[in-house]
């Protein structure tokens, strides 16, 4: 039963406050016990590391109200492991994966009225964010941190849901060849804002980035990983690159593709190969699996179906079927709260 009165079927991807967020502070070399807060404000020195030197990382995962009425979270351990990989790279403290999963369960339980009802297509997006709070003026890693788990009820990231979007290959890079593209650093998203604005000015909802080293291969979208289906519908292709985020959705879709009998190829994908693909999509927690209609590259345009293609449709339906508890969770991806 949802006591919260929201227009569930009109949810987009907008921040709105919920009942509680869960916060952990790191000081004196240790994480302190979590505390629930009902406000969204933090008190921070203007000299805090995260404001000047960018020690800020985050995660994104979802909880679903399933067909049987129970609430389940999709692969929280994987996000727990990834936040630690981000933390290691930016010299931030790791948070034990078991505690991460427990924190996610707690914050979802505290906000369970905000999990959209089954049948609306919505879910509860969980956003863990960690930032360095030590006031300092010399460049060094912070000594104190906060890790906050907040939640937001969400619907489709791109208006239109699975209606294919247009993408534009960016003239800019979001990451460096040996930089931070493989972790979920807040700064990567700041770097993608201007290229995304340029893409929108060209009527493309999303920017597609090339590998920043040679700019000959496809990397990923600003919001999500890139995947393609071969014209014969038998192969699932996705870039192998050191500057893309290892997407948990992509990893799961690769497994579902194998289950459906597709061959999975994870290798560098040359830009010219865009002409060989039958179906193309963006995938990630927020965008789920969003098909791509056209990709603009200078004066070239690669065109795919105006509606979701048959293989992407199968993958999409399998994924959501598992997440909403309509199909069996064969790979043990769901955690009940
Ligand atoms: N790539 C980027 C740049 C992202 O921001 C995201 C979203 O988290 C993804 C890929 C997809 O990752 P995941 O499927 O783990 O959400
Ligand atoms: C997610 O999918 O969880 C992300 O962090 C991507 C962002 C565009 C919301």
């Amino acid at each position: 039963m949802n006591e919260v009165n929201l227009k569930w079927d009109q949810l987009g991807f907008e921040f709105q406050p919920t009942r509680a967020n869960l916060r952990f502070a790191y000081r004196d070399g240790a994480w302190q016990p979590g505390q629930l807060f009902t406000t969204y404000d933090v008190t921070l020195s203007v000299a805090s590391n995260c404001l000047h030197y960018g020690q800020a990382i985050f995660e994104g995962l979802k909880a679903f109200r399933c067909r049987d009425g129970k609430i389940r979270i999709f692969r929280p351990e994987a996000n727990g492991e990834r936040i630690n990989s981000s933390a290691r790279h930016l010299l931030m403290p790791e948070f034990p994966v078991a505690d991460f999963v427990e924190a996610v369960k707690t914050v979802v339980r505290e906000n369970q009225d905000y999990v959209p009802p089954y049948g609306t297509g919505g879910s509860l997006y969980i956003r863990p964010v960690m930032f360095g709070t030590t006031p300092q003026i010399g460049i060094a890693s912070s000594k104190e941190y906060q890790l906050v788990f907040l939640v937001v009820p969400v619907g489709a990231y791109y208006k239109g849901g699975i209606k294919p979007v247009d993408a534009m290959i960016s003239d800019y890079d979001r990451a460096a060849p040996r930089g931070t593209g493989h972790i979920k650093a807040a700064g990567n998203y700041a770097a993608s804002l201007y290229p995304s604005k340029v893409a929108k000015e060209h009527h493309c909802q999303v920017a597609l980035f090339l590998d920043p080293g040679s700019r000959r291969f496809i990397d990923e979208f600003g919001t999500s990983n890139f995947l393609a289906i071969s014209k014969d519908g038998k192969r699932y292709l996705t870039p192998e690159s050191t500057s893309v985020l290892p997407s948990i959705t992509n990893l799961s879709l690769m497994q579902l593709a194998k289950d459906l009998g597709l061959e999975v190829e994870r290798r560098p994908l040359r830009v010219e190969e865009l002409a060989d693909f039958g179906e193309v999509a963006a995938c990630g927690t927020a965008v789920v699996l969003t098909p791509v209609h056209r990709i603009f590259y200078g004066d070239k345009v690669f065109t795919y179906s105006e509606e979701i293609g048959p293989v992407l449709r199968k993958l999409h339906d399998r994924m959501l079927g598992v997440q909403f508890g309509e199909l069996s969770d064969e790979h043990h991806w769901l955690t009940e709260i």
Side-chain angles (χ1 to χ4, degrees):
M1 256 284 282
N2 280 85
E3 288 163 24
V4 171
N5 201 11
L6 287 175
K7 292 187 173 139
W8 300 109
D9 49 358
Q10 289 172 31
L11 290 173
F13 205 87
E14 302 290 333
F15 173 75
Q16 57 178 306
T18 61
R19 183 163 303 110
N21 56 86
L22 178 60
R23 303 186 190 185
F24 295 83
Y26 182 89
R27 58 174 174 269
D28 303 325
W31 286 106
Q32 308 301 313
Q35 273 185 290
L36 285 164
F37 281 72
T38 54
T39 80
Y40 283 80
D41 300 337
V42 287
T43 303
L44 211 58
S45 163
V46 290
S48 288
N49 174 305
C50 62
L51 300 177
H52 299 245
Y53 301 130
Q55 268 189 314
I57 55 178
F58 69 97
E59 271 305 322
L61 62 162
K62 280 178 173 169
F64 299 86
R65 195 176 295 276
C66 295
R67 188 160 65 179
D68 63 5
K70 293 188 176 157
I71 297 170
R72 296 185 177 87
I73 304 159
F74 191 71
R75 307 193 72 171
E77 331 61 38
N79 294 89
E81 277 156 23
R82 194 171 63 187
I83 203 170
N84 285 338
S85 142
S86 302
R88 282 192 297 274
H89 195 83
L90 294 193
L91 291 189
M92 298 167 78
E94 294 188 38
F95 191 78
V97 174
D99 295 353
F100 181 96
V101 173
E102 219 29 66
V104 171
K105 284 163 90 172
T106 302
V107 78
V108 172
R109 212 176 283 124
E110 289 296 325
N111 291 284
Q112 49 184 296
D113 292 355
Y114 286 86
V115 185
Y118 172 73
T120 60
S123 54
L124 191 72
Y125 183 72
I126 304 139
R127 168 53 62 83
V129 57
M130 191 198 294
F131 44 94
T133 55
T134 302
Q136 59 195 84
I137 209 68
I139 301 178
S141 64
S142 188
K143 291 189 179 59
E144 286 102 28
Y145 295 85
Q146 282 208 36
L147 170 59
V148 183
F149 292 79
L150 57 97
V151 298
V152 188
V154 297
Y157 190 82
Y158 296 114
K159 277 197 192 81
I162 55 165
K163 183 122 194 64
V165 294
D166 284 340
M168 181 183 153
I169 295 187
S170 183
D171 288 339
Y172 302 93
D173 301 320
R174 71 184 277 283
R178 290 169 204 79
T180 55
H182 64 295
I183 62 164
K184 216 160 161 59
N188 295 345
Y189 296 82
S192 75
L193 290 176
Y194 181 70
S196 301
K197 175 173 174 276
V198 174
K200 288 193 182 100
E201 283 165 358
H202 287 82
H203 310 288
C204 291
Q205 291 95 321
V206 59
L208 177 58
F209 293 95
L210 299 182
D211 82 285
S214 73
R215 294 190 56 81
R216 288 175 48 230
F217 301 98
I218 301 161
D219 246 6
E220 65 173 332
F221 300 99
T223 54
S224 42
N225 270 187
F226 175 98
L227 74 95
I229 306 295
S230 58
K231 280 189 177 147
D232 63 6
K234 291 187 175 156
R235 288 176 300 140
Y236 178 115
L237 301 104
T238 195
E240 174 79 66
S241 162
T242 52
S243 47
V244 309
L245 189 75
S247 155
I248 295 155
T249 312
N250 198 2
L251 211 61
S252 311
L253 287 168
M254 284 188 242
Q255 181 61 56
L256 296 180
K258 281 186 198 152
D259 295 350
L260 286 167
L262 272 79
E263 222 171 89
V264 172
E265 282 183 30
R266 197 177 188 179
R267 59 168 174 82
L269 300 180
R270 284 176 293 109
V271 181
E272 307 83 70
E273 289 185 76
L274 286 172
D276 305 337
F277 302 143
E279 303 173 43
V280 165
C283 72
T285 299
V287 309
V288 191
L289 188 150
T290 300
V292 174
H293 174 213
R294 291 179 296 187
I295 300 179
F296 293 88
Y297 182 39
D299 52 11
K300 287 201 194 85
V301 52
F302 301 93
T303 304
Y304 311 96
S305 169
E306 261 181 272
E307 296 299 328
I308 187 167
V311 179
L312 291 179
R313 162 62 79 182
K314 266 192 219 159
L315 286 168
H316 174 271
D317 291 355
R318 276 233 174 175
M319 184 70 156
L320 291 191
V322 172
Q323 292 180 327
F324 284 109
E326 294 155 356
L327 298 176
S328 82
D329 178 21
E330 280 171 31
H331 302 290
H332 310 290
W333 287 336
L334 300 175
T335 295
E336 201 174 307
I337 65 158

